[in-house]
Amino acid sequence: MILKCKLIFSPLSSLNRLSLDAPLVCLVWQIALANFMEADLKLQHHLILGLSVWLCYSADRFTELPLPEFSSAPRYEVFKAFPLGFKIFWSTTLLFTVTLACLSLSIECLLFSLPLLLFCLLNFKLCLYEMTSGRLSFLAKEVRTSAILSWGCMLFPMFETSTNPHDTLVYFISLLLVFFANCLYVSKWERLLDFYRGRLTIIQKNPGFLNGLIKGNYLFLLISGGLWFIGDSPINFFTYVFWVLIFAMCLNLLSMENDKKRNAIDLGYWFVPLILLLIEHAG
């Protein structure tokens, strides 16, 4: 059984090494949102989102790698093995993504995307500030990360949809809380490691508050389950929310190493909604 698990998760662990887990999470959720919001997304929308998320997540190779407490992390293996090749590939991907966005998106869509771009740059600056000064921003890293991910997944569906603003806001808040739950569990599992690194976030500095927020996920689970139950169809947006939360909660209860939980939760955040998408379209 252990050997089978290793055979399954060994190839999947490469997703983390290549920083592909976060882009996959965002792409699957964007497809699900576009489906429920009846937004007509094109291939370029998915390419721009996936590449942009990869660029953001892989950019920390240039800032964190000099720190010895980070250099041993699996996600730095490729960069350490091929530093020049990685820099060339990253820069080429950035140029390609910007060119693709400018050529394929309308001026209105580019302007609509500008606030998210500015928020991402602000987040990057705050991360550098926290890393170099040792001081913490009033806006917790977990909140910033979940906001960027949910905003990124919602961006193109929001622009292309005719869904009323109330439903759009419900989708955004629900997705924000789903990603916030992910960040909370990761903060819990990595708290000891971050303590030794001297990298505790504001939320991690108060374990009682962190555990309280995690317990709040059970209330969110009940609400999403109720909204799924009263929905018009067997599978709706809250079906995705419910089962992803179930996955994260069950993973938290398992007696396995925290670093394995850390990798597994990102896997579940794209695999569970992908399964639901396939079931929905098969039906």
Side-chain angles (χ1 to χ4, degrees), residues 41-70:
L41 298 188
K42 309 298 183 183
L43 177 61
Q44 60 264 27
H45 294 117
H46 302 301
L47 278 175
I48 291 169
L49 175 67
L51 292 174
S52 297
V53 174
W54 183 84
L55 286 167
C56 290
Y57 265 75
S58 57
D60 60 5
R61 309 301 185 272
F62 306 112
T63 57
E64 291 182 349
L65 189 60
L67 302 175
E69 60 267 28
F70 289 103

mmCIF file of all heavy atoms in Angstrom, residues 41-70:
data_model
loop_
_atom_site.group_PDB
_atom_site.id
_atom_site.type_symbol
_atom_site.label_atom_id
_atom_site.label_comp_id
_atom_site.label_asym_id
_atom_site.label_seq_id
_atom_site.Cartn_x
_atom_site.Cartn_y
_atom_site.Cartn_z
ATOM 1 N N LEU A 41 -15.267 31.827 -21.983
ATOM 2 C CA LEU A 41 -13.823 32.038 -21.934
ATOM 3 C C LEU A 41 -13.147 31.328 -23.103
ATOM 4 O O LEU A 41 -13.552 30.254 -23.521
ATOM 5 C CB LEU A 41 -13.248 31.525 -20.611
ATOM 6 C CG LEU A 41 -13.752 32.190 -19.333
ATOM 7 C CD1 LEU A 41 -12.956 31.711 -18.129
ATOM 8 C CD2 LEU A 41 -13.702 33.705 -19.433
ATOM 9 N N LYS A 42 -12.087 31.951 -23.587
ATOM 10 C CA LYS A 42 -11.305 31.397 -24.688
ATOM 11 C C LYS A 42 -10.009 30.793 -24.155
ATOM 12 O O LYS A 42 -9.670 30.927 -22.982
ATOM 13 C CB LYS A 42 -10.991 32.496 -25.715
ATOM 14 C CG LYS A 42 -12.192 33.284 -26.186
ATOM 15 C CD LYS A 42 -13.205 32.406 -26.889
ATOM 16 C CE LYS A 42 -14.379 33.247 -27.419
ATOM 17 N NZ LYS A 42 -15.429 32.421 -28.044
ATOM 18 N N LEU A 43 -9.291 30.145 -25.053
ATOM 19 C CA LEU A 43 -8.030 29.516 -24.676
ATOM 20 C C LEU A 43 -7.049 30.526 -24.095
ATOM 21 O O LEU A 43 -6.318 30.231 -23.132
ATOM 22 C CB LEU A 43 -7.412 28.817 -25.894
ATOM 23 C CG LEU A 43 -6.040 28.165 -25.675
ATOM 24 C CD1 LEU A 43 -6.120 27.070 -24.615
ATOM 25 C CD2 LEU A 43 -5.506 27.607 -26.994
ATOM 26 N N GLN A 44 -7.029 31.737 -24.664
ATOM 27 C CA GLN A 44 -6.075 32.728 -24.186
ATOM 28 C C GLN A 44 -6.338 33.138 -22.741
ATOM 29 O O GLN A 44 -5.396 33.475 -22.004
ATOM 30 C CB GLN A 44 -6.075 33.973 -25.080
ATOM 31 C CG GLN A 44 -7.406 34.697 -25.182
ATOM 32 C CD GLN A 44 -8.179 34.275 -26.407
ATOM 33 O OE1 GLN A 44 -8.001 33.140 -26.883
ATOM 34 N NE2 GLN A 44 -8.999 35.163 -26.951
ATOM 35 N N HIS A 45 -7.600 33.108 -22.312
ATOM 36 C CA HIS A 45 -7.901 33.435 -20.919
ATOM 37 C C HIS A 45 -7.242 32.427 -19.973
ATOM 38 O O HIS A 45 -6.689 32.798 -18.936
ATOM 39 C CB HIS A 45 -9.412 33.437 -20.687
ATOM 40 C CG HIS A 45 -10.127 34.528 -21.420
ATOM 41 N ND1 HIS A 45 -11.058 34.277 -22.393
ATOM 42 C CD2 HIS A 45 -10.041 35.880 -21.319
ATOM 43 C CE1 HIS A 45 -11.535 35.416 -22.867
ATOM 44 N NE2 HIS A 45 -10.930 36.410 -22.238
ATOM 45 N N HIS A 46 -7.314 31.162 -20.327
ATOM 46 C CA HIS A 46 -6.726 30.118 -19.490
ATOM 47 C C HIS A 46 -5.201 30.184 -19.530
ATOM 48 O O HIS A 46 -4.538 29.998 -18.502
ATOM 49 C CB HIS A 46 -7.224 28.745 -19.942
ATOM 50 C CG HIS A 46 -8.709 28.603 -19.897
ATOM 51 N ND1 HIS A 46 -9.444 28.762 -18.731
ATOM 52 C CD2 HIS A 46 -9.612 28.327 -20.871
ATOM 53 C CE1 HIS A 46 -10.734 28.576 -18.993
ATOM 54 N NE2 HIS A 46 -10.851 28.313 -20.279
ATOM 55 N N LEU A 47 -4.650 30.447 -20.708
ATOM 56 C CA LEU A 47 -3.196 30.555 -20.825
ATOM 57 C C LEU A 47 -2.657 31.722 -20.002
ATOM 58 O O LEU A 47 -1.657 31.582 -19.286
ATOM 59 C CB LEU A 47 -2.798 30.736 -22.295
ATOM 60 C CG LEU A 47 -2.718 29.480 -23.158
ATOM 61 C CD1 LEU A 47 -2.438 29.850 -24.609
ATOM 62 C CD2 LEU A 47 -1.634 28.544 -22.645
ATOM 63 N N ILE A 48 -3.311 32.866 -20.108
ATOM 64 C CA ILE A 48 -2.845 34.059 -19.392
ATOM 65 C C ILE A 48 -2.929 33.848 -17.885
ATOM 66 O O ILE A 48 -1.992 34.190 -17.146
ATOM 67 C CB ILE A 48 -3.655 35.291 -19.820
ATOM 68 C CG1 ILE A 48 -3.331 35.652 -21.266
ATOM 69 C CG2 ILE A 48 -3.373 36.485 -18.908
ATOM 70 C CD1 ILE A 48 -4.249 36.689 -21.875
ATOM 71 N N LEU A 49 -4.029 33.261 -17.410
ATOM 72 C CA LEU A 49 -4.156 33.009 -15.974
ATOM 73 C C LEU A 49 -3.097 32.018 -15.504
ATOM 74 O O LEU A 49 -2.386 32.273 -14.519
ATOM 75 C CB LEU A 49 -5.549 32.473 -15.645
ATOM 76 C CG LEU A 49 -5.736 32.069 -14.174
ATOM 77 C CD1 LEU A 49 -5.679 33.283 -13.268
ATOM 78 C CD2 LEU A 49 -7.037 31.300 -13.975
ATOM 79 N N GLY A 50 -2.987 30.877 -16.188
ATOM 80 C CA GLY A 50 -2.041 29.851 -15.758
ATOM 81 C C GLY A 50 -0.604 30.348 -15.746
ATOM 82 O O GLY A 50 0.128 30.138 -14.774
ATOM 83 N N LEU A 51 -0.206 31.032 -16.798
ATOM 84 C CA LEU A 51 1.161 31.547 -16.879
ATOM 85 C C LEU A 51 1.407 32.650 -15.849
ATOM 86 O O LEU A 51 2.497 32.724 -15.259
ATOM 87 C CB LEU A 51 1.445 32.070 -18.291
ATOM 88 C CG LEU A 51 1.493 31.011 -19.393
ATOM 89 C CD1 LEU A 51 1.633 31.665 -20.763
ATOM 90 C CD2 LEU A 51 2.643 30.036 -19.146
ATOM 91 N N SER A 52 0.411 33.500 -15.630
ATOM 92 C CA SER A 52 0.563 34.590 -14.655
ATOM 93 C C SER A 52 0.734 34.047 -13.247
ATOM 94 O O SER A 52 1.575 34.532 -12.474
ATOM 95 C CB SER A 52 -0.649 35.523 -14.719
ATOM 96 O OG SER A 52 -0.758 36.142 -15.979
ATOM 97 N N VAL A 53 -0.057 33.042 -12.897
ATOM 98 C CA VAL A 53 0.066 32.434 -11.572
ATOM 99 C C VAL A 53 1.427 31.772 -11.419
ATOM 100 O O VAL A 53 2.081 31.892 -10.375
ATOM 101 C CB VAL A 53 -1.068 31.413 -11.329
ATOM 102 C CG1 VAL A 53 -0.861 30.677 -10.014
ATOM 103 C CG2 VAL A 53 -2.414 32.119 -11.319
ATOM 104 N N TRP A 54 1.880 31.077 -12.469
ATOM 105 C CA TRP A 54 3.202 30.438 -12.398
ATOM 106 C C TRP A 54 4.295 31.483 -12.219
ATOM 107 O O TRP A 54 5.227 31.295 -11.423
ATOM 108 C CB TRP A 54 3.464 29.628 -13.664
ATOM 109 C CG TRP A 54 4.783 28.913 -13.585
ATOM 110 C CD1 TRP A 54 5.042 27.707 -12.997
ATOM 111 C CD2 TRP A 54 6.037 29.390 -14.098
ATOM 112 N NE1 TRP A 54 6.380 27.398 -13.107
ATOM 113 C CE2 TRP A 54 7.015 28.411 -13.780
ATOM 114 C CE3 TRP A 54 6.437 30.533 -14.780
ATOM 115 C CZ2 TRP A 54 8.360 28.558 -14.130
ATOM 116 C CZ3 TRP A 54 7.769 30.677 -15.128
ATOM 117 C CH2 TRP A 54 8.716 29.697 -14.804
ATOM 118 N N LEU A 55 4.198 32.585 -12.943
ATOM 119 C CA LEU A 55 5.201 33.646 -12.825
ATOM 120 C C LEU A 55 5.240 34.220 -11.408
ATOM 121 O O LEU A 55 6.321 34.455 -10.855
ATOM 122 C CB LEU A 55 4.900 34.757 -13.834
ATOM 123 C CG LEU A 55 5.206 34.446 -15.300
ATOM 124 C CD1 LEU A 55 4.565 35.484 -16.212
ATOM 125 C CD2 LEU A 55 6.712 34.389 -15.536
ATOM 126 N N CYS A 56 4.071 34.425 -10.834
ATOM 127 C CA CYS A 56 4.004 34.978 -9.471
ATOM 128 C C CYS A 56 4.592 34.007 -8.452
ATOM 129 O O CYS A 56 5.361 34.409 -7.564
ATOM 130 C CB CYS A 56 2.557 35.302 -9.107
ATOM 131 S SG CYS A 56 1.855 36.707 -9.990
ATOM 132 N N TYR A 57 4.233 32.741 -8.567
ATOM 133 C CA TYR A 57 4.685 31.754 -7.577
ATOM 134 C C TYR A 57 6.160 31.408 -7.733
ATOM 135 O O TYR A 57 6.837 31.100 -6.745
ATOM 136 C CB TYR A 57 3.828 30.488 -7.662
ATOM 137 C CG TYR A 57 2.694 30.500 -6.679
ATOM 138 C CD1 TYR A 57 1.573 31.286 -6.905
ATOM 139 C CD2 TYR A 57 2.743 29.748 -5.517
ATOM 140 C CE1 TYR A 57 0.532 31.319 -5.997
ATOM 141 C CE2 TYR A 57 1.716 29.774 -4.609
ATOM 142 C CZ TYR A 57 0.604 30.553 -4.852
ATOM 143 O OH TYR A 57 -0.423 30.598 -3.942
ATOM 144 N N SER A 58 6.667 31.454 -8.949
ATOM 145 C CA SER A 58 8.069 31.113 -9.161
ATOM 146 C C SER A 58 8.997 32.307 -8.963
ATOM 147 O O SER A 58 10.217 32.149 -8.895
ATOM 148 C CB SER A 58 8.272 30.543 -10.565
ATOM 149 O OG SER A 58 7.832 31.458 -11.552
ATOM 150 N N ALA A 59 8.437 33.506 -8.834
ATOM 151 C CA ALA A 59 9.266 34.705 -8.662
ATOM 152 C C ALA A 59 10.023 34.698 -7.351
ATOM 153 O O ALA A 59 11.061 35.371 -7.229
ATOM 154 C CB ALA A 59 8.395 35.961 -8.764
ATOM 155 N N ASP A 60 9.530 33.939 -6.355
ATOM 156 C CA ASP A 60 10.221 33.929 -5.069
ATOM 157 C C ASP A 60 11.586 33.244 -5.153
ATOM 158 O O ASP A 60 12.393 33.339 -4.232
ATOM 159 C CB ASP A 60 9.365 33.278 -3.978
ATOM 160 C CG ASP A 60 9.007 31.825 -4.294
ATOM 161 O OD1 ASP A 60 9.502 31.298 -5.300
ATOM 162 O OD2 ASP A 60 8.219 31.242 -3.528
ATOM 163 N N ARG A 61 11.874 32.550 -6.253
ATOM 164 C CA ARG A 61 13.199 31.950 -6.417
ATOM 165 C C ARG A 61 14.286 33.017 -6.425
ATOM 166 O O ARG A 61 15.397 32.780 -5.983
ATOM 167 C CB ARG A 61 13.285 31.166 -7.743
ATOM 168 C CG ARG A 61 12.186 30.163 -7.997
ATOM 169 C CD ARG A 61 12.091 29.085 -6.930
ATOM 170 N NE ARG A 61 11.093 28.101 -7.304
ATOM 171 C CZ ARG A 61 9.801 28.178 -7.018
ATOM 172 N NH1 ARG A 61 9.337 29.224 -6.359
ATOM 173 N NH2 ARG A 61 8.962 27.218 -7.370
ATOM 174 N N PHE A 62 13.919 34.223 -6.890
ATOM 175 C CA PHE A 62 14.905 35.296 -6.991
ATOM 176 C C PHE A 62 15.104 36.038 -5.672
ATOM 177 O O PHE A 62 16.078 36.765 -5.519
ATOM 178 C CB PHE A 62 14.480 36.305 -8.067
ATOM 179 C CG PHE A 62 14.211 35.683 -9.401
ATOM 180 C CD1 PHE A 62 12.930 35.645 -9.920
ATOM 181 C CD2 PHE A 62 15.229 35.122 -10.140
ATOM 182 C CE1 PHE A 62 12.670 35.071 -11.148
ATOM 183 C CE2 PHE A 62 14.982 34.539 -11.381
ATOM 184 C CZ PHE A 62 13.704 34.519 -11.885
ATOM 185 N N THR A 63 14.175 35.864 -4.739
ATOM 186 C CA THR A 63 14.239 36.638 -3.494
ATOM 187 C C THR A 63 14.549 35.790 -2.271
ATOM 188 O O THR A 63 15.245 36.228 -1.361
ATOM 189 C CB THR A 63 12.911 37.366 -3.258
ATOM 190 O OG1 THR A 63 11.841 36.407 -3.229
ATOM 191 C CG2 THR A 63 12.647 38.371 -4.364
ATOM 192 N N GLU A 64 14.029 34.553 -2.236
ATOM 193 C CA GLU A 64 14.180 33.733 -1.040
ATOM 194 C C GLU A 64 15.379 32.798 -1.087
ATOM 195 O O GLU A 64 15.874 32.371 -0.049
ATOM 196 C CB GLU A 64 12.911 32.889 -0.814
ATOM 197 C CG GLU A 64 11.706 33.707 -0.420
ATOM 198 C CD GLU A 64 10.484 32.838 -0.169
ATOM 199 O OE1 GLU A 64 10.534 31.638 -0.500
ATOM 200 O OE2 GLU A 64 9.483 33.348 0.353
ATOM 201 N N LEU A 65 15.846 32.468 -2.274
ATOM 202 C CA LEU A 65 16.892 31.453 -2.387
ATOM 203 C C LEU A 65 18.169 31.796 -1.613
ATOM 204 O O LEU A 65 18.788 30.898 -1.036
ATOM 205 C CB LEU A 65 17.229 31.199 -3.857
ATOM 206 C CG LEU A 65 18.145 29.999 -4.116
ATOM 207 C CD1 LEU A 65 17.485 28.718 -3.604
ATOM 208 C CD2 LEU A 65 18.483 29.858 -5.584
ATOM 209 N N PRO A 66 18.627 33.056 -1.572
ATOM 210 C CA PRO A 66 19.843 33.342 -0.810
ATOM 211 C C PRO A 66 19.722 33.019 0.679
ATOM 212 O O PRO A 66 20.728 32.917 1.357
ATOM 213 C CB PRO A 66 20.043 34.851 -1.038
ATOM 214 C CG PRO A 66 19.363 35.132 -2.325
ATOM 215 C CD PRO A 66 18.157 34.234 -2.324
ATOM 216 N N LEU A 67 18.481 32.896 1.180
ATOM 217 C CA LEU A 67 18.305 32.592 2.593
ATOM 218 C C LEU A 67 18.454 31.090 2.804
ATOM 219 O O LEU A 67 17.742 30.296 2.189
ATOM 220 C CB LEU A 67 16.919 33.056 3.055
ATOM 221 C CG LEU A 67 16.632 34.549 2.861
ATOM 222 C CD1 LEU A 67 15.189 34.858 3.252
ATOM 223 C CD2 LEU A 67 17.585 35.389 3.685
ATOM 224 N N PRO A 68 19.384 30.645 3.681
ATOM 225 C CA PRO A 68 19.634 29.210 3.851
ATOM 226 C C PRO A 68 18.429 28.443 4.350
ATOM 227 O O PRO A 68 18.289 27.262 4.061
ATOM 228 C CB PRO A 68 20.776 29.185 4.888
ATOM 229 C CG PRO A 68 20.719 30.518 5.577
ATOM 230 C CD PRO A 68 20.234 31.474 4.536
ATOM 231 N N GLU A 69 17.510 29.098 5.095
ATOM 232 C CA GLU A 69 16.347 28.387 5.617
ATOM 233 C C GLU A 69 15.355 28.013 4.522
ATOM 234 O O GLU A 69 14.481 27.184 4.717
ATOM 235 C CB GLU A 69 15.632 29.226 6.688
ATOM 236 C CG GLU A 69 15.105 30.576 6.229
ATOM 237 C CD GLU A 69 16.078 31.691 6.477
ATOM 238 O OE1 GLU A 69 17.281 31.407 6.486
ATOM 239 O OE2 GLU A 69 15.657 32.849 6.650
ATOM 240 N N PHE A 70 15.483 28.644 3.348
ATOM 241 C CA PHE A 70 14.570 28.337 2.249
ATOM 242 C C PHE A 70 15.212 27.478 1.162
ATOM 243 O O PHE A 70 14.520 26.822 0.399
ATOM 244 C CB PHE A 70 14.068 29.633 1.588
ATOM 245 C CG PHE A 70 13.112 30.403 2.435
ATOM 246 C CD1 PHE A 70 13.527 31.537 3.124
ATOM 247 C CD2 PHE A 70 11.794 30.009 2.548
ATOM 248 C CE1 PHE A 70 12.632 32.257 3.903
ATOM 249 C CE2 PHE A 70 10.894 30.719 3.329
ATOM 250 C CZ PHE A 70 11.326 31.844 4.008
#
